[in-house]
Amino acid sequence: MVIKTKADYVKSLREQKHVVYYKGKRVEDVTTHPGFIPHINAAAKTYELALQPEHEDLMTAVSHLTGERINRFTHIHQNREDLIKKVQMMRLISHETGSCFQRCVGFDALNALYSTTAEIDEKYGTNYHQRLIEYVKYVQKSNIMVVGGMTDTKGDRSKSPSKQSDPDQFLHVVERRKDGIVVTGAKVHQTGAINSHEIVVMPTVALGEEDRDYAVAFASPLNAPGVVLIFGRQTNEERKFEKGIDIGNLEFGLVGGEALIIFDKVFVPWDRVFMCGEYDFAQMFVERFAALHRQNYGGCKGGLSDILVGACGVVSEYQGTGKASHIKDKLAEMMHLAETIYCCSVACSAMGHKMKAGNYEPDTLLANATKS
Amino acid sequence: MVIKTKADYVKSLREQKHVVYYKGKRVEDVTTHPGFIPHINAAAKTYELALQPEHEDLMTAVSHLTGERINRFTHIHQNREDLIKKVQMMRLISHETGSCFQRCVGFDALNALYSTTAEIDEKYGTNYHQRLIEYVKYVQKSNIMVVGGMTDTKGDRSKSPSKQSDPDQFLHVVERRKDGIVVTGAKVHQTGAINSHEIVVMPTVALGEEDRDYAVAFASPLNAPGVVLIFGRQTNEERKFEKGIDIGNLEFGLVGGEALIIFDKVFVPWDRVFMCGEYDFAQMFVERFAALHRQNYGGCKGGLSDILVGACGVVSEYQGTGKASHIKDKLAEMMHLAETIYCCSVACSAMGHKMKAGNYEPDTLLANATKS
Amino acid sequence: MVIKTKADYVKSLREQKHVVYYKGKRVEDVTTHPGFIPHINAAAKTYELALQPEHEDLMTAVSHLTGERINRFTHIHQNREDLIKKVQMMRLISHETGSCFQRCVGFDALNALYSTTAEIDEKYGTNYHQRLIEYVKYVQKSNIMVVGGMTDTKGDRSKSPSKQSDPDQFLHVVERRKDGIVVTGAKVHQTGAINSHEIVVMPTVALGEEDRDYAVAFASPLNAPGVVLIFGRQTNEERKFEKGIDIGNLEFGLVGGEALIIFDKVFVPWDRVFMCGEYDFAQMFVERFAALHRQNYGGCKGGLSDILVGACGVVSEYQGTGKASHIKDKLAEMMHLAETIYCCSVACSAMGHKMKAGNYEPDTLLANATKS
Amino acid sequence: MVIKTKADYVKSLREQKHVVYYKGKRVEDVTTHPGFIPHINAAAKTYELALQPEHEDLMTAVSHLTGERINRFTHIHQNREDLIKKVQMMRLISHETGSCFQRCVGFDALNALYSTTAEIDEKYGTNYHQRLIEYVKYVQKSNIMVVGGMTDTKGDRSKSPSKQSDPDQFLHVVERRKDGIVVTGAKVHQTGAINSHEIVVMPTVALGEEDRDYAVAFASPLNAPGVVLIFGRQTNEERKFEKGIDIGNLEFGLVGGEALIIFDKVFVPWDRVFMCGEYDFAQMFVERFAALHRQNYGGCKGGLSDILVGACGVVSEYQGTGKASHIKDKLAEMMHLAETIYCCSVACSAMGHKMKAGNYEPDTLLANATKS
Ligand SMILES: Cc1cc2nc3c(=O)[nH]c(=O)nc-3n(C[C@H](O)[C@H](O)[C@H](O)COP(=O)(O)OP(=O)(O)OC[C@H]3O[C@@H](n4cnc5c(N)ncnc54)[C@H](O)[C@@H]3O)c2cc1C
Ligand SMILES: Cc1cc2nc3c(=O)[nH]c(=O)nc-3n(C[C@H](O)[C@H](O)[C@H](O)COP(=O)(O)OP(=O)(O)OC[C@H]3O[C@@H](n4cnc5c(N)ncnc54)[C@H](O)[C@@H]3O)c2cc1C
Ligand SMILES: Cc1cc2nc3c(=O)[nH]c(=O)nc-3n(C[C@H](O)[C@H](O)[C@H](O)COP(=O)(O)OP(=O)(O)OC[C@H]3O[C@@H](n4cnc5c(N)ncnc54)[C@H](O)[C@@H]3O)c2cc1C
Ligand SMILES: Cc1cc2nc3c(=O)[nH]c(=O)nc-3n(C[C@H](O)[C@H](O)[C@H](O)COP(=O)(O)OP(=O)(O)OC[C@H]3O[C@@H](n4cnc5c(N)ncnc54)[C@H](O)[C@@H]3O)c2cc1C
């Protein structure tokens, strides 16, 4: 199925029948569950805006793999302009949703894997990069939503994955088969997981030789056998069931809707495996992913700040305090903060560099300035 | 009735039958309603701790009016030591509840009125001060919980009360009778209102001559005819109904439970009226109240910070990061902030001054340093 | 004369015989005066580095007017790359001097005038733009150092220039002649003035119709009759006379060496006048200049911070505290601040826009984020 | 000699003929040297104000040793009021001098030694406390100015005193004689040293058993053989020689005038030795001294801030910007900072505690909040 419209997106979610729990109960249809609707609405904006001609330049790109026009969330950045447009696209969508639209993590995961797989192949003679290219083509064509699965439950942070008393604190390979691998573990705080189609799993920390089984990256449909999604409780989430204004943003809610995703002996075929045992690339991968991810904040959070500044401005006018100098000072300070973080995102993009694989990544140091 | 124990306190609340609404429904017994229990538990600590011999010095005082040992929350500060003990008492209770215990606003209202009424009487030959003394004696003896009603709905902040398009944006006198006055209006964000016995109403802004009817201070039982309490929605309040750990602090909840209190032509007898028309004392009163109230923050918020620091410390130990220098730095910074605000509270107390009425109030400038 | 080397630069300064005072005494040769040598050394770096092949890309540019390779400090920005290179050039020079190299203000003045003169001409049919082009060509060819004269003494800030009790608080036209104008006033805090060749004078505030005579921009040699330079006192400047390490940076000193420049009936020929009476363009001009100037700070101050971070790192190693976590944290914080301001400079450049005159200017909002 | 007036103070300095160097040259009479006059003027204020009846309460105290009225800078704090008055006295003097008056370090040294010597004696049966009492009596009677010598040159901070490659990086006992000890080393950054009469030397870090010789505290006249004072360079100090306004504060200068004090085999008689070998008391002593010293900052720096706020206010009025809201906001912020640090000083005093020796010291935790 190729997803174009919001309707396509909702339909695809309804049909995929992934295993989702909300407050201890199995949810049959996520698309009609009040706890999920705002998140779906927000993510749907990434599809809807891409159909509007005036946003084509920011919301879409031309695939370097197929030459076809694709949703920018499935694109591999080809130059610095692409990096800057990513940031601008996010600020644009934030202006529409005033909430998290959840599609950045998978986007970043694919881009970080694009450069890393090429370099793993170069060192080890593997063929991860070609597999990834095929997967990217599939994502670009189908326009599916991909959750980026980085964060493990971690347990005792002073110990590496293989030293944990519970071996499943970090997701790992439990079996290597001819046709693929079997993995067990869990990824937490997975933004947009409930309303995504697939997950790209990646390592979350630097690894040593003894952590070889934890050096694993792959893609999997969320309805694969053994995958269970448990929705994480969100602040004030009961209000979504009332449909009143106490939810805040009536249509899009407030947050991205994080979930815990359990992998209970999940099978992944080899053509969806992008790292398996190359522990010495884990740290490099995490750094690249982090740079790509931190780059986003000036876009999406900058956009959220704009909404907040506007809201505060309106409130102060309603209250008759709009002209008070201390109010104006505070609004100016909020704007200054928003533009500063936006500057960091733009700058790490403008100073981005070409990778061996030919794609572009933002400047790591400046991307870190964005986040912290 | 004289309230000594938690049981006395709960019983008294149950019996007073004040008109309370929660999410649009009338609540018959506030003491058994899950939305209120944590707040009641926290406020009850102000009674319980006062019965423990080791806390006698901080939790109780000797009344300068009757010579009897009373709950400190009903005391009129007699010296700088009293002011410092007020702050220490609050930090102590915060350590027990980790939440707002709600009894400070009424306490501050009585103290601010104590000095102000004496000075109004001096200028206008009224007898507000003696009335207030009688009321204080009653509060000390009965040990009731008093909510401090300052904040009006306010409407257009650029206009004074009498200039609002809706005359009820600020509470005001609508009728002066032989036996008392009749008032209309509302007070918002009233901490602990649901589980209090009486309210002391005060003006909330400086007033001009044309706002004469808005210059009104009085005490009223919350079950007086015409008084309606509407509970304000609290963050994540649905979780209280589950009794699980998602509420945070299982016993005491997280906040003070603010309510909107509507006064619909409520009658107040003269012996409970402490200001009526003396608009030129409104600003002075507000400043005194504010100083007394800001003085509290280093006590209660300092105590809350202590709890948070401890919680963060425990979490970091659980996670195996307790020895990481950046974690220790952050904890130290939190402690520094807590002690700094505590210092402000202590200092404004130690620099407190004697008022014409004989009582003590904290230094205004230093009390302001506490809050901001 | 065409200035290429440091020797050329020093010789040209010696020969121009401008009127300079230092602590009340006339200075005959600025190039041998200890109070000025560090500033000359720092400014000379803008010439020296431009001769090094490895810095050609940042330190030089190709003139869009003549097609010749010129010092970037005389360039009119032709695209966003030029804007970014400006910032990078500044960080580079800061790394060499650890001090202000003083050549940015004149650079920014020419660029701001480039776009503004074109728009004045468009509205009023004047020919300022062509005059400016000729002047820019002269500056590019001769490679002279130009001080940017914006700040007036200002007097009472609550009054506009024409309302001051002293009409000379702002520089203004006192006579309009056939061959040119005569101006009187003073510009203060003129960075690098002592060791510059010419000044470009510009308005410093928004102006009204009654301030018409104050709406004046022009270029003048600093040795024109009536121009007097009074060196402003610098912190610890006596130390320069000792040549010991107490000066800090032995070769380049610490600051840019600001001067007060008095204009006492100075004649300016028409072909050096770029604004004369068009008060309605003063504000626009000031904003454009400010954006160009604020853009610099992430470059030069970012570079200074790098030097400071390095120096602190070395000191901590000498002292045996290099591994202490609180020291490393502080260095990281300093770096974070430096990279954040650099991000702002890069971002306002990357988001720069083309002006009607064809040149490029940085994004105003983001440039403001840089400064504050 | 008993020092009462400024004239007494200056005369006593002139007569004591201590060995002082300024920029490499021996200074014969410190009282007429322009480099020192402002510091002497500022310190003299501690004598002058004590003679003014309106300041008697803050500037003087009654000695608990002799019952005589003494300058508060020679007092041993007897209660919390004394501690608070210390802070108030400092804010008062800062208002007069707008500069460091230098007399706190010795004051704090004596108070910290007062409690510590008593506890050393208790553990080791020594008689340091009585010696100290005699010395305090002498200081109270003569009213001399005492510099507090804590900071050593320290060398490699990762090593303890006895582990330094140069044994003199920390001051230490080189000979124990029948009549006294001989010490070698240096103390740096000694505020007010040039214009003091005696020094009280103390350890500056926690010490181990192997650092026994470094555990030494004593008093010595600054004109003792072997004591050499080298004045440290001060910012813009050449301006003092001009007597113009460029010095800033014409009469009192800007800083306290720190010196390096070299001890080259200096003999100290036993009755001036207050610690000698009791390394296990070094850390406790340093903490007590630090608490007493940090307590000061809200007084003296609070007072300096007041001066700055006033100066900024005047400047803004001169410039016609006094009513601009962003100017008023900044002044308010400066005041808030000053009052907050003052609150910390007052609070650590109000929460001070009685020591075993009977004197009072400020609360350590709250005193630390003051400084950082
Ligand atoms: C709103 C939200 C959305 C998110 N969305 C996603 C998502 O879509 N996909 C995804 O994969 N993740 C997601 N995350 C997870 C996020 O990436 C992690 O929360 C983050 O990386 C921190 O990890 P943690 O929560 O395990 O904290 P920890 O890593 O445990 O850190 C807690 C503290 O401990 C310190 N610490 C940790 N380890 C050590 C150590 N070894 N030594 C010293 N100090 C240490 C840290 O510095 C930090 O101060 C989301 C999180 C949030 C809040
Ligand atoms: C947790 C909590 C508990 C509380 N408990 C109590 C309680 O027990 N009893 C009680 O009486 N109140 C209580 N309050 C109310 C509290 O005192 C008020 O919220 C506070 O005084 C601010 O008033 P406001 O909300 O009307 O804000 P506003 O006064 O409207 O202020 C909003 C903003 O507008 C500005 N502003 C307001 N007026 C003007 C003007 N004329 N000109 C320029 N600027 C202006 C303010 O500076 C501020 O920045 C509580 C509030 C909270 C949050
Ligand atoms: C190191 C250094 C180098 C410099 N180099 C140069 C240079 O090379 N060329 C050059 O032309 N200038 C130079 N300057 C001057 C600099 O541009 C000015 O200092 C700056 O623009 C501020 O002007 P000002 O000093 O007159 O301060 P003011 O403009 O007087 O500002 C002082 C304060 O008053 C406020 N204020 C001013 N006017 C008003 C008003 N009407 N209403 C309300 N508030 C007001 C301001 O916001 C500010 O807070 C330099 C300055 C420094 C410190
Ligand atoms: C204006 C002024 C007046 C003064 N007046 C006096 C005075 O009158 N009498 C007096 O005795 N002193 C005086 N001093 C000295 C002052 O007490 C010291 O500067 C201060 O205690 C810091 O000591 P330091 O300069 O040796 O710095 P250091 O102690 O070397 O500290 C430098 C940095 O290194 C870190 N560090 C140091 N040791 C370690 C370690 N082992 N492990 C990890 N990190 C470490 C510190 O935390 C700090 O960040 C004065 C100082 C000033 C600036």
Side-chain angles (χ1 to χ4, degrees), chain A residues 105 147-154 157-159 187-192 202 204 255-256 258 289 293, chain B residues 319-321 324-327 330:
Chain A
V105 201
V147 59
M150 171 159 272
T151 310
D152 291 276
T153 54
K154 293 184 183 168
R157 271 73 173 157
S158 67
K159 292 180 182 150
K187 293 283 177 178
V188 280
H189 309 314
Q190 300 296 296
T191 300
M202 341 158 236
T204 193
V255 278
E258 296 80 38
F289 172 81
H293 199 55
Chain B
Q319 287 198 325
T321 58
S325 70
H326 68 287
I327 302 284
K330 278 177 193 123

Side-chain angles (χ1 to χ4, degrees), chain C residues 166-177:
Chain C
D166 172 357
D168 299 339
Q169 287 284 9
F170 289 78
L171 189 146
H172 58 125
V173 180
V174 291
E175 198 188 336
R176 278 175 178 76
R177 291 180 5 195

Side-chain angles (χ1 to χ4, degrees), chain C residues 171-308:
Chain C
L171 189 146
H172 58 125
V173 180
V174 291
E175 198 188 336
R176 278 175 178 76
R177 291 180 5 195
K178 220 177 164 172
D179 50 349
I181 57 175
V182 179
V183 298
T184 286
K187 292 285 176 175
V188 280
H189 309 314
Q190 300 296 297
T191 301
I194 300 305
N195 45 313
S196 288
H197 306 91
E198 303 220 350
I199 183 169
V200 170
V201 163
M202 339 159 236
T204 195
V205 283
L207 300 171
E209 198 174 342
E210 68 283 10
D211 305 314
R212 195 179 283 273
D213 288 343
Y214 295 86
V216 60
F218 61 84
S220 170
L222 287 170
N223 59 7
V227 176
V228 176
L229 294 95
I230 299 173
F231 193 62
R233 200 158 197 187
Q234 313 289 313
T235 297
N236 286 328
E237 65 179 353
E238 285 76 6
R239 300 187 185 182
K240 293 181 200 161
F241 293 80
E242 302 167 6
K243 298 179 184 161
I245 63 158
D246 280 4
I247 187 181
N249 182 316
L250 266 176
E251 196 176 346
F252 304 109
L254 277 174
V255 277
E258 295 81 37
L260 169 70
I261 308 185
I262 296 174
F263 289 79
D264 185 10
K265 302 209 190 96
V266 174
F267 172 72
V268 184
W270 281 116
D271 60 358
R272 287 294 187 256
V273 176
F274 312 125
M275 178 191 286
C276 187
E278 295 80 7
Y279 64 87
D280 47 334
F281 280 87
Q283 178 169 2
M284 176 210 274
F285 172 80
V286 172
E287 276 163 17
R288 289 185 184 178
F289 171 82
L292 281 154
H293 199 56
R294 287 170 182 171
Q295 177 205 14
N296 301 332
Y297 290 99
C300 67
K301 301 305 179 225
L304 280 187
S305 293
D306 296 335
I307 299 280
L308 275 178

Side-chain angles (χ1 to χ4, degrees), chain D residues 150-161:
Chain D
M150 169 159 274
T151 309
D152 289 277
T153 55
K154 293 185 184 168
D156 183 339
R157 271 68 173 162
S158 67
K159 293 178 180 151
S160 75

Side-chain angles (χ1 to χ4, degrees), chain C residues 105 148-151 154 157 188-191 258, chain D residues 319 321 324 326-327:
Chain C
V105 201
M150 170 160 273
T151 310
K154 294 184 184 169
R157 270 72 173 161
V188 280
H189 309 314
Q190 300 296 297
T191 301
E258 295 81 37
Chain D
Q319 287 198 326
T321 58
H326 68 288
I327 302 284

Side-chain angles (χ1 to χ4, degrees), chain C residues 90-165:
Chain C
M90 293 194 171
R91 196 157 181 180
L92 167 70
I93 312 176
S94 269
H95 286 172
E96 296 294 317
T97 63
S99 182
C100 173
F101 36 90
Q102 315 144 43
R103 215 171 154 190
C104 62
V105 201
F107 184 15
D108 296 331
L110 291 179
N111 273 276
L113 281 171
Y114 194 87
S115 68
T116 309
T117 51
E119 293 172 43
I120 300 180
D121 288 356
E122 192 188 31
K123 177 162 179 188
Y124 289 113
T126 42
N127 72 333
Y128 296 130
H129 192 58
Q130 192 52 44
R131 286 180 196 166
L132 187 84
I133 284 177
E134 295 309 318
Y135 184 63
V136 169
K137 278 192 205 164
Y138 159 68
V139 171
Q140 290 182 341
K141 196 180 172 84
S142 62
N143 200 9
I144 55 168
M145 176 155 158
V146 175
V147 58
M150 170 160 273
T151 310
D152 289 277
T153 54
K154 294 184 184 169
D156 184 338
R157 270 72 173 161
S158 68
K159 291 179 181 152
S160 74
S162 59
K163 296 287 183 307
Q164 300 291 329
S165 54

